[in-house]
Amino acid sequence: MAAEEHGEGLTFHPMDQFIVQPLFGDGAVGVFTITNSTLWLAVTVIAAALLFVMGTRGRAIVPTRIQSIAELAYGFIHKMVEDVAGRDALKFFPYIFTLFIFIVFSNFLGLLPKAFTPTSHIAVTAILAMGVFLTVTFVGFYIHGMKFLGLFWVASAPLALRPVLALIEVISYFVRPVSHSIRLAGNMMAGHAVIKVFAAFAPLILISGIGIAVTPLSIIAITAMYGLEILVAFIQAYVFTILTCVYLKDALHPAH
Amino acid sequence: MAEHTAEHATDAGHAADAASSGGMPQLDFATFPNQILWLVVALVVLYLILSRVALPRIGSVLAERTGTITNDIAAAETFKQQAAEAEAAYHQALDDARAAAAKVINDAKADIQKDLDVAIAKADAEIAARTAESAARIDEIRASATEAVTTVAKDTTKELLNSFGVKADARSVTAAVNAQLKGGAA
Amino acid sequence: MEGDIVQMGAYIGAGLACMGMGGAAVGVGNVAGNFLSGALRNPSAAAGQTATLFIGIAFAEALGIFSFLVALLLMFAV
């Protein structure tokens, strides 16, 4: 519809890059169809495996560059889990590490031109966030039993306020997976869409005289947004992981 | 089967609709099962790769490195201690040598002093003997010279008196000459 | 005609929803600014609080993302 308004030739399709389509043929997207999403999920897994399996193959005491990147990521997440969620959360370290590596690789690979970003889809991030939510809830009830519900009962507040606070706590607890997933998907989607919008302005120089001013501006804007996206790609993975750690801490140590 | 394909066709139509009308592909629920399935497959594969292969390996490498570093630090500490001990031993040896050298020097000095004392004493004695001898000889010479002078004076006086024609009394001449010599000497 | 009015309403609503992003911007700036002023007073304690900083930014930003999502829904899904 945006294209119709700019009938002169500028085409705005900022959301087209997110379309999930079959990689082979033009059929519908069934459950087992190999789509562009599937391809980039596979690329993500292969890239992570290359870094963490091939890169550390040497087991060198003095690490090679690739091995030191792998060790850096290991140390970063290990320290985060230990600092934020506590030592007893280290059981979940492989799970959290998998989440972080999956998101960070997916985000960065999605920044390649023509690439598809699985993490820009709510379906993907919702599954990630629901996984975290269910894990955390299950762990909380498994370890503390019914005492886990004390998480919602703020014992330090005045008695009259406690039911209200409990209601707020329950709501905020159940909003967690929503905000957790939409934050990641929304960030990735927004950045890519904004880049596409600026990109749509770039060919204006071929159409009208005002393009002399607009085209360089839009190219500069694309470059700036791309830089910001690189930052966002990492920060969102970091935020997703650290929030997972925070939720896990709530499950392991529910006392306020 | 026909029904199945028809369903797919409507799905395709829906997807095409969404694409052409610019709707949000994120809300195209027809693709959700597909995405979720492959996401779960990817996550499980990644989890298995990481938790079975990569993480234990990196963990062991890091632990090994920590161990190596600790060992190296301990070894460095040992070496440092050894070096400190060696330095202390060196200083001890140096001090011992210095003390021995001082002792040798003192001994030598004492020996030399002793020899010197003996030699000086001997030389002093010799000098004293020589001095005494010389003094004796000088006295002797002086005595003989006085005697000679007295004799010469007596003789000369006697001769003078004789030449003047005076009979000189030997005793009085002698007394006069002695008195004169004594006065001259005084 | 009626569809056009609905569409117009949707677009106006999307534009209004984008105001929420300004609120998120204020919130994120507030978090980061307060962190910076605190960090400048006590730089030794700053390093340990970067995680808290990012969590705070993430929470503030999430609300802006929600408004962005509402805008997108109005634009493309209504």
Side-chain angles (χ1 to χ4, degrees):
Chain A
M1 52 194 159
E4 286 151 20
E5 285 154 33
H6 294 265
E8 299 131 21
L10 283 189
T11 47
F12 287 85
H13 287 304
M15 307 307 278
D16 278 10
Q17 57 183 324
F18 302 118
I19 294 173
V20 179
Q21 53 206 356
L23 214 52
F24 311 105
D26 294 327
V29 178
V31 176
F32 297 106
T33 316
I34 306 291
T35 63
N36 48 0
S37 178
T38 317
L39 171 70
W40 285 97
L41 287 171
V43 171
T44 301
V45 172
I46 290 167
L50 277 180
L51 173 59
F52 285 99
V53 177
M54 301 299 275
T56 61
R57 205 176 29 176
R59 295 164 176 268
I61 290 295
V62 178
T64 59
R65 281 182 222 179
I66 294 179
Q67 190 185 330
S68 62
I69 292 172
E71 287 171 7
L72 206 64
Y74 182 98
F76 180 63
I77 301 300
H78 199 271
K79 190 172 177 301
M80 186 199 290
V81 174
E82 201 174 343
D83 288 355
V84 178
R87 283 202 72 82
D88 45 352
L90 286 178
K91 292 192 289 288
F92 299 96
F93 170 63
Y95 175 54
I96 294 170
F97 192 72
T98 307
L99 282 179
F100 176 76
I101 291 304
F102 174 77
I103 295 168
V104 91
F105 269 81
S106 180
N107 287 356
F108 273 102
L109 288 169
L111 283 174
L112 296 173
K114 292 284 179 189
F116 181 87
T117 320
T119 41
S120 69
H121 271 260
I122 291 170
V124 170
T125 58
I127 291 300
L128 294 174
M130 279 312 286
V132 171
F133 179 75
L134 292 177
T135 308
V136 164
T137 312
F138 177 75
V139 166
F141 277 113
Y142 181 78
I143 293 180
H144 301 285
M146 282 300 131
K147 274 191 224 152
F148 182 59
L149 293 174
L151 180 66
F152 307 117
W153 195 251
V154 187
S156 56
L159 190 61
L161 275 178
R162 281 184 208 172
V164 183
L165 284 176
L167 187 66
I168 295 172
E169 290 281 330
V170 169
I171 292 174
S172 76
Y173 189 81
F174 283 99
V175 167
R176 273 177 184 183
V178 178
S179 67
H180 206 187
S181 59
I182 288 179
R183 180 182 302 113
L184 177 57
N187 266 292
M188 300 320 294
M189 190 201 320
H192 287 63
V194 169
I195 287 179
K196 268 287 152 77
V197 169
F198 282 129
F201 278 111
L204 197 62
I205 197 166
L206 302 174
I207 297 160
S208 89
I210 201 166
I212 292 169
V214 172
T215 300
L217 272 179
S218 68
I219 290 170
I220 290 169
I222 292 169
T223 316
M225 275 310 293
Y226 199 88
L228 184 66
E229 279 305 287
I230 289 173
L231 193 68
V232 165
F234 177 76
I235 286 182
Q236 287 309 316
Y238 175 77
V239 163
F240 193 97
T241 319
I242 204 163
L243 284 177
T244 305
C245 292
V246 170
Y247 297 160
L248 198 58
K249 188 198 77 181
D250 279 352
L252 294 170
H253 316 282
H256 273 274
Chain B
M1 187 63 206
E3 207 178 291
H4 194 63
T5 47
E7 193 185 313
H8 268 199
T10 51
D11 273 354
H14 178 61
D17 264 3
S20 63
S21 74
M24 271 179 80
Q26 276 87 349
L27 297 179
D28 183 3
F29 294 103
T31 65
F32 272 32
N34 176 285
Q35 288 196 60
I36 291 167
L37 170 79
W38 290 115
L39 170 69
V40 170
V41 169
L43 277 182
V44 167
V45 170
L46 189 62
Y47 179 79
L48 289 179
I49 290 174
L50 288 178
S51 66
R52 293 290 153 86
V53 184
L55 294 183
R57 189 184 287 174
I58 296 174
S60 72
V61 167
L62 287 180
E64 206 175 316
R65 181 172 310 145
T66 318
T68 310
I69 288 170
T70 316
N71 284 346
D72 284 359
I73 287 172
E77 200 63 39
T78 315
F79 284 140
K80 198 176 162 194
Q81 207 168 340
Q82 282 175 0
E85 277 167 14
E87 200 187 350
Y90 165 75
H91 279 303
Q92 184 66 44
L94 206 62
D95 287 349
D96 286 357
R98 212 169 262 155
K103 193 161 165 280
V104 167
I105 288 168
N106 280 340
D107 285 359
K109 230 179 231 171
D111 278 0
I112 289 166
Q113 194 64 47
K114 211 190 282 169
D115 287 356
L116 207 61
D117 285 352
V118 170
I120 286 171
K122 203 168 144 196
D124 279 353
E126 200 167 320
I127 287 164
R130 288 260 181 93
T131 310
E133 195 179 324
S134 301
R137 276 188 60 189
I138 287 166
D139 284 350
E140 198 176 308
I141 288 165
R142 189 178 280 155
S144 68
T146 313
E147 198 177 326
V149 165
T150 314
T151 312
V152 168
K154 275 179 196 166
D155 287 353
T156 309
T157 312
K158 219 180 270 181
E159 282 305 311
L160 275 172
L161 289 175
N162 280 339
S163 63
F164 282 126
V166 180
K167 185 81 167 129
D169 182 2
R171 236 184 6 231
S172 59
V173 166
T174 305
V177 166
N178 279 349
Q180 203 61 43
L181 278 173
K182 222 171 260 172
Chain C
M1 183 62 198
E2 205 153 297
D4 284 351
I5 291 173
V6 167
Q7 193 129 55
M8 189 181 76
Y11 283 168
I12 292 172
L16 288 175
C18 283
M19 286 191 218
M21 294 183 211
V26 171
V28 171
N30 200 18
V31 170
N34 279 332
F35 175 80
L36 190 60
S37 67
L40 287 175
R41 284 199 191 143
N42 187 2
S44 58
Q49 296 305 318
T50 41
T52 322
L53 169 72
F54 279 111
I55 293 172
I57 285 179
F59 277 125
E61 190 201 23
L63 302 169
I65 294 290
F66 288 161
S67 70
F68 170 73
L69 197 77
V70 169
L72 277 182
L73 286 172
L74 287 170
M75 287 275 287
F76 296 113
V78 173

